[in-house]
Amino acid sequence: MANITKKVSWSSRADELGAAGEGTPLLNGSEQSRAFREIGRLSTVDLEEEVTSDEDSVKGRPKEIPHNEKLLSLKYESLDYDNIENQLFLEEERRMSHMSFRCLEISRWVICGLIGILTGLIACCIDIIVEKLAGFKYQVVKENIEKFTEVGGLSVSLLLWAVLNSAIVMLGALMVSFIEPVAAGSGIPQIKCYLNGVKVPRVVRLKTLMVKVFGVICSVVGGLAVGKEGPMIHSGSVVAAGVSQGRSTSLKKDFKIFEYFRRDTEKRDFVSAGAAAGVSAAFGAPVGGVLFSLEEGASFWNQMLTWRIFFASMISTFTLNFFLSIYHNNPGDLSNPGLINFGRFENDSVAYYLYEIPLFIAMGAIGGLLGALFNYLNYWLTIFRIRYVHRPYLQVMEAMLVAAVTATVSFTMIYFSTDCQPLDPEHSEEYPLQLFCADGEYNSMATAFFNTPERSVRSLFHNQPGTYNPLTLGLFTLTYFFLACWTYGLAVSAGVFIPSLLIGAAWGRLCGILLATTTDNGSIWADPGKYALIGAAAQLGGIVRMTLSLTVIMVEATGNVTYGLPIMLVLMTAKIVGDYFVEGLYDVHIKLQSVPFLHWEAPATSHWLTAREVMSSPVTCLSRIEKVGTIVDILSNTSTNHNGFPVVVQVTGNEEPAKLCGLILRSQLIVLLKHKVFVELARSRLTQRKLLLKDFRDAYPRFPPIQSIHVSQDERECMMDLTEFMNATPYTVPQDTSLPRVFKLFRALGLRHLVVVDDENRVIGLVTRKDLARYHMGKHGLEELHLAQT
């Protein structure tokens, strides 16, 4: 049978950007070769490509699956979640005593505790700084508006508001665009990719954390339609990645601790704990944080790891709570566990009835539709940014423009609003604006716009009925929806959780008001705050499409389990309805960046595909005792840039493919070349130190490039014995293994390479993450291709 696979040439997104001279972060995109034809069908298949057939082919089975060769970016590599069980690893494990393993387990708990403490402290600092700076800004603008309301010339107040917003946002955008672009956005898509097994460049570095913290402060204080909660997940992950390694590669400081954990397998577990600690600090939801990490990395879950992640989450929320209580002059008062505090829903207001369940489900459907619209608009806006706003100075200018427009729209809405409400002690508005209202009254529209988003959400949840009129809520929902859609994807550090909650709370409260006024006895059961909560959950679920973890987060944030069932039903409905039109916002941006992201399951109709159809071949193999010059030439070949090489043994006098005996990684070969581990040198230097696992851990994670390693002409003629360093038991599959089985094995074990062998254990192909991602089609694309083949 003829060879039915072909070698894939992956496009380099970095090369495409090289012509423009710019690099861009995950959320803000890079130069896209072409837009996907339909957002609901982000397929990896080019159905227009002709499929060739052979005489001996089975009817209905393609000899070669068509694909778009520019769909996956070369700059993303896989992480090594599978332990490399070579002789060095096995010898070290066997030398360790039971007490040594107990000490390692204690170290893991200590690291998780440190992650929780540091994440909580970062959240505390962000919250205090934002409160102080935003309070100062709103107070200055408020006094200016009150001054010019009496004497005329409110245009000066508008100009002041717009300039302040633009100047503050400019600082954050400059840091992100010019110093660390990967710090843009919430960072949740990047962390999803990391836990999925994708190495996103610079995503867990110290500089990324510093820019992220500074940027999110500027974004929130600058008045953008953003929140500071989402970036806490990214911040916690960076903290975890740094603390668990016992050193800082950015600062070139090694504390000589936690050296055993310097590998992707251990680091991934701690990053999961950091992400959970970030969720816990943001929403005061430690259980929700654990479930968030579970949803993104369930393939590696175990009971002890679950407890460590929960411990990190609890420590994080306790640390934040403790220091905020000191800041608010209430030491020991632990009633504000997260950055966003929805406030307590009293029993009378949270009561709901059976006949309200259909109304909640209908609101979930509305949230799914609005979420799909939000994601669809943001998708095309991101495509526009990828093509035309990819230079740093343009990104800064766009961020400043959005800040100015946000201030202008807010001022205009407040100026023309006639919704005046009485100001009495029961109202808790932080910066009430009177404007043209009578004495003793305040502008209700200003409560939503002239405030931080967190305070606005809380007011929509808990303000008394009659605080807002329907027109105010309708106009606010419409304007804030488009402002949030425009804002997400800017070159600033910001999250989408709070804007989504605010939009949903506004139209949810509007639904509650309409139900109360249009139904009999509606004023008794249709509490506006209750429907604001349901609307917030529906809108957030419709945009991000999270179900299990988001349900628990909302329940924990409200401090009342009464609404567990309605929130779950709303989120499920929003996801089902939204998924019918378009994927979740994070998944959309992941695909826009051509990340080889693997979902939990293979496509439903993929059983007609086998490992033979998805593998890459021919495979570059190495002999167990290989010539140094050959290894250097293979690693220096920029056209392939392979990271894993099967090690084979050739049968003497046999021209057939050699048989598999192991697998070795590019990073291992580079360390071996750096330390000159050659057979001839080992024989001539009797006192040469034996290479240890510590040498590989010291080089992790920034292994030097092959170009930095000098190999003389004489050394090229030497031989290298790979027996001791290769993984002698790599995972393999027969060539006729079905794609779902290959996918489950690859995904569940967190593999980076899966060797395809024939009946005699000869290497015929290699399956990598990009091979599977290339064939992981959308729900329509695979079915259409299957019909085309049959």
Side-chain angles (χ1 to χ4, degrees):
M1 181 179 292
N3 184 12
I4 59 176
T5 59
K6 71 177 180 180
K7 191 174 182 178
V8 180
S9 174
W10 305 110
S11 66
S12 174
R13 197 69 63 195
D15 294 339
E16 293 174 11
L17 286 173
E22 308 297 343
T24 51
L26 178 65
L27 293 182
N28 292 331
S30 52
E31 193 64 39
Q32 190 80 359
S33 60
R34 70 179 74 169
F36 296 110
R37 279 168 288 184
E38 184 180 348
I39 182 61
R41 300 184 181 185
L42 289 176
S43 173
T44 59
V45 179
D46 189 351
L47 297 178
E48 297 175 359
E49 181 172 319
E50 183 179 356
V51 181
T52 60
S53 60
D54 231 30
E55 293 181 358
D56 59 347
S57 64
V58 179
K59 185 176 181 180
R61 175 184 289 180
K63 305 306 291 179
E64 183 176 285
I65 306 302
H67 65 278
N68 183 345
E69 292 190 344
K70 289 185 176 294
L71 196 59
L72 294 178
S73 174
L74 187 65
K75 70 179 180 180
Y76 299 111
E77 297 295 342
S78 297
L79 294 166
D80 298 308
Y81 284 171
D82 181 40
N83 285 324
I84 304 170
E85 292 191 353
N86 53 23
Q87 292 183 17
L88 295 181
F89 176 81
L90 294 177
E91 289 174 3
E92 182 184 74
E93 294 291 307
R94 290 163 183 166
R95 286 196 306 266
M96 295 178 64
S97 63
H98 180 72
M99 182 58 65
S100 299
F101 284 107
R102 291 292 299 271
C103 291
L104 286 176
E105 188 63 25
I106 294 174
S107 298
R108 292 187 178 98
W109 284 91
V110 172
I111 292 173
C112 287
L114 292 175
I115 291 170
I117 293 173
L118 293 177
T119 303
L121 288 175
I122 291 174
C124 182
C125 292
I126 291 176
D127 190 54
I128 293 175
I129 294 174
V130 166
E131 181 179 339
K132 289 294 185 182
L133 294 181
F136 176 77
K137 186 196 76 170
Y138 284 122
Q139 190 62 37
V140 169
V141 176
K142 178 177 181 294
E143 293 174 356
N144 191 272
I145 291 176
E146 292 175 346
K147 172 184 176 182
F148 286 100
T149 300
E150 299 176 358
V151 301
L154 280 174
S155 57
V156 177
S157 301
L158 169 61
L159 184 62
L160 174 64
W161 194 354
V163 169
L164 283 176
N165 277 12
S166 298
I168 297 171
V169 170
M170 180 188 68
L171 296 176
L174 285 172
M175 291 284 288
V176 171
S177 299
F178 287 95
I179 297 179
E180 197 54 85
V182 78
S186 65
I188 295 178
Q190 291 96 321
I191 299 306
K192 281 171 66 75
C193 291
Y194 188 93
L195 296 179
N196 191 260
V198 181
K199 183 179 180 180
V200 181
R202 311 183 67 84
V203 71
V204 289
R205 294 196 179 177
L206 178 62
K207 187 164 69 171
T208 302
L209 174 63
M210 297 174 65
V211 174
K212 175 72 82 175
V213 172
F214 181 82
V216 72
I217 291 173
C218 293
S219 300
V220 177
V221 175
L224 293 176
V226 299
K228 58 180 181 290
E229 285 69 22
M232 279 308 307
I233 299 174
H234 189 186
S235 300
S237 300
V238 179
V239 168
V243 172
S244 64
Q245 303 305 290
R247 67 178 177 185
S248 172
T249 51
S250 299
L251 301 177
K252 302 186 186 307
K253 180 66 174 178
D254 192 342
F255 298 99
K256 303 297 182 181
I257 56 175
F258 308 141
E259 294 180 341
Y260 182 84
F261 306 126
R262 293 177 184 177
R263 46 180 167 153
D264 289 336
T265 308
E266 296 284 351
K267 191 174 181 180
R268 180 267 317 272
D269 293 347
F270 292 118
V271 169
S272 300
V279 173
S280 181
F283 299 97
V287 178
V290 174
L291 293 177
F292 174 84
S293 294
L294 174 63
E295 283 184 326
E296 305 307 329
S299 63
F300 58 85
W301 217 255
N302 61 67
Q303 183 178 10
M304 192 57 66
L305 175 60
T306 304
W307 277 109
R308 290 199 302 268
I309 292 177
F310 183 62
F311 176 68
S313 299
M314 291 298 297
I315 292 295
S316 176
T317 189
F318 174 79
T319 301
L320 173 64
N321 209 345
F322 176 75
F323 283 98
L324 283 182
S325 68
I326 296 176
Y327 170 73
H328 293 300
N329 295 321
N330 293 312
D333 180 13
L334 307 180
S335 59
N336 298 302
L339 294 181
I340 174 66
N341 182 14
F342 292 161
R344 296 287 178 178
F345 283 79
E346 301 299 334
N347 291 331
D348 293 339
S349 63
V350 299
Y352 66 94
Y353 302 92
L354 182 62
Y355 54 80
E356 290 184 272
I357 296 295
L359 297 177
F360 296 155
I361 295 176
M363 292 179 68
I366 295 174
L369 291 173
L370 291 178
L373 177 61
F374 185 99
N375 296 352
Y376 188 80
L377 294 176
N378 190 263
Y379 165 78
W380 289 108
L381 183 60
T382 304
I383 290 291
F384 177 83
R385 288 188 176 119
I386 288 172
R387 292 178 175 175
Y388 305 109
V389 195
H390 54 271
R391 297 184 180 276
Y393 72 89
L394 292 176
Q395 295 172 347
V396 174
M397 292 175 63
E398 185 194 17
M400 295 176 64
L401 174 64
V402 174
V405 170
T406 301
T408 303
V409 170
S410 302
F411 185 87
T412 303
M413 297 290 290
I414 295 172
Y415 182 85
F416 288 103
S417 174
T418 58
D419 184 9
C420 296
Q421 300 294 333
L423 184 64
D424 55 58
E426 294 183 2
H427 291 84
S428 58
E429 281 69 28
E430 191 75 16
Y431 312 104
L433 273 178
Q434 180 179 353
L435 208 60
F436 302 118
C437 295
D439 292 341
E441 294 182 338
Y442 69 97
N443 190 301
S444 182
M445 182 70 79
T447 304
F449 275 115
F450 199 70
N451 220 331
T452 58
E454 290 83 1
R455 293 183 183 276
S456 299
V457 170
R458 195 156 55 246
S459 67
L460 288 170
F461 283 167
H462 296 289
N463 278 11
Q464 296 297 320
T467 305
Y468 301 92
N469 65 37
L471 181 61
T472 298
L473 293 173
L475 290 175
F476 174 79
T477 301
L478 183 65
T479 55
Y480 205 81
F481 180 91
F482 289 104
L483 284 175
C485 185
W486 187 12
T487 302
Y488 189 79
L490 291 176
V492 295
S493 300
V496 75
F497 272 80
I498 297 303
S500 302
L501 290 173
L502 185 53
I503 295 168
W507 66 258
R509 190 177 180 94
L510 175 61
C511 290
I513 293 175
L514 295 179
L515 287 172
T517 56
T518 58
T519 58
D520 296 335
N521 299 324
S523 58
I524 299 176
W525 55 267
D527 180 75
K530 174 173 62 178
Y531 281 87
L533 175 64
I534 298 299
Q539 186 65 61
L540 181 57
I543 291 177
V544 301
R545 310 290 164 78
M546 296 162 58
T547 51
L548 179 62
S549 61
L550 196 55
T551 300
V552 178
I553 288 172
M554 294 292 292
V555 169
E556 288 186 281
T558 56
N560 196 313
V561 76
T562 304
Y563 272 98
L565 176 62
I567 289 176
M568 182 189 69
L569 293 175
V570 164
L571 291 175
M572 291 177 60
T573 305
K575 177 175 174 56
I576 293 172
V577 173
D579 284 344
Y580 182 81
F581 298 98
V582 61
E583 292 180 296
L585 185 63
Y586 300 142
D587 295 322
V588 167
H589 279 267
I590 287 172
K591 285 197 173 183
L592 282 173
Q593 277 297 301
S594 302
V595 179
F597 187 90
L598 297 182
H599 295 276
W600 294 119
E601 299 291 340
T605 56
S606 61
H607 283 82
W608 51 281
L609 284 173
T610 65
R612 183 171 56 245
E613 275 86 39
V614 301
M615 69 183 185
S616 294
S617 69
V619 181
T620 302
C621 298
L622 298 174
S623 299
R624 187 161 55 182
I625 300 179
E626 188 62 84
K627 191 177 180 180
V628 172
T630 302
I631 295 176
V632 172
D633 292 339
I634 291 175
L635 297 182
S636 302
N637 188 353
T638 57
S639 63
T640 57
N641 199 32
H642 296 315
N643 286 281
F645 305 93
V647 181
V648 296
V649 175
Q650 184 73 46
V651 179
T652 305
N654 194 338
E655 296 181 357
E656 294 183 356
K659 294 187 177 182
L660 178 70
C661 67
L663 182 75
I664 194 164
L665 302 178
R666 167 184 289 266
S667 58
Q668 294 175 284
L669 292 172
I670 287 178
V671 174
L672 296 178
L673 289 172
K674 180 181 178 181
H675 290 273
K676 310 293 184 183
V677 185
F678 307 148
V679 174
E680 289 78 4
L681 295 180
R683 293 172 181 171
S684 61
R685 301 177 186 175
L686 299 178
T687 59
Q688 184 183 25
R689 180 180 67 86
K690 181 181 178 181
L691 206 62
L692 302 174
L693 274 183
K694 183 180 185 302
D695 298 298
F696 293 90
R697 290 167 180 161
D698 288 341
Y700 176 86
R702 302 185 193 179
F703 295 97
I706 185 62
Q707 293 79 9
S708 66
I709 298 176
H710 174 71
V711 178
S712 66
Q713 192 62 36
D714 292 337
E715 290 174 336
R716 288 178 60 88
E717 301 300 323
C718 295
M719 305 300 291
M720 182 182 291
D721 189 352
L722 306 179
T723 305
E724 189 178 6
F725 310 102
M726 68 180 183
N727 183 357
T729 56
Y731 290 98
T732 62
V733 292
Q735 57 183 332
D736 292 326
T737 306
S738 66
L739 177 59
R741 194 170 185 83
V742 171
F743 194 94
K744 289 179 181 178
L745 180 63
F746 198 96
R747 186 69 176 89
L749 297 178
L751 302 181
R752 185 175 186 180
H753 304 95
L754 185 61
V755 185
V756 182
V757 297
D758 61 11
D759 296 337
E760 298 183 10
N761 200 38
R762 294 174 298 194
V763 179
I764 62 172
L766 194 67
V767 177
T768 65
R769 167 177 293 272
K770 289 180 180 178
D771 293 319
L772 293 179
R774 175 161 54 101
Y775 294 100
H776 194 280
M777 310 164 193
K779 61 183 179 181
H780 303 294
L782 187 58
E783 296 172 359
E784 292 179 0
L785 180 60
H786 184 49
L787 292 175
Q789 297 299 329
T790 56

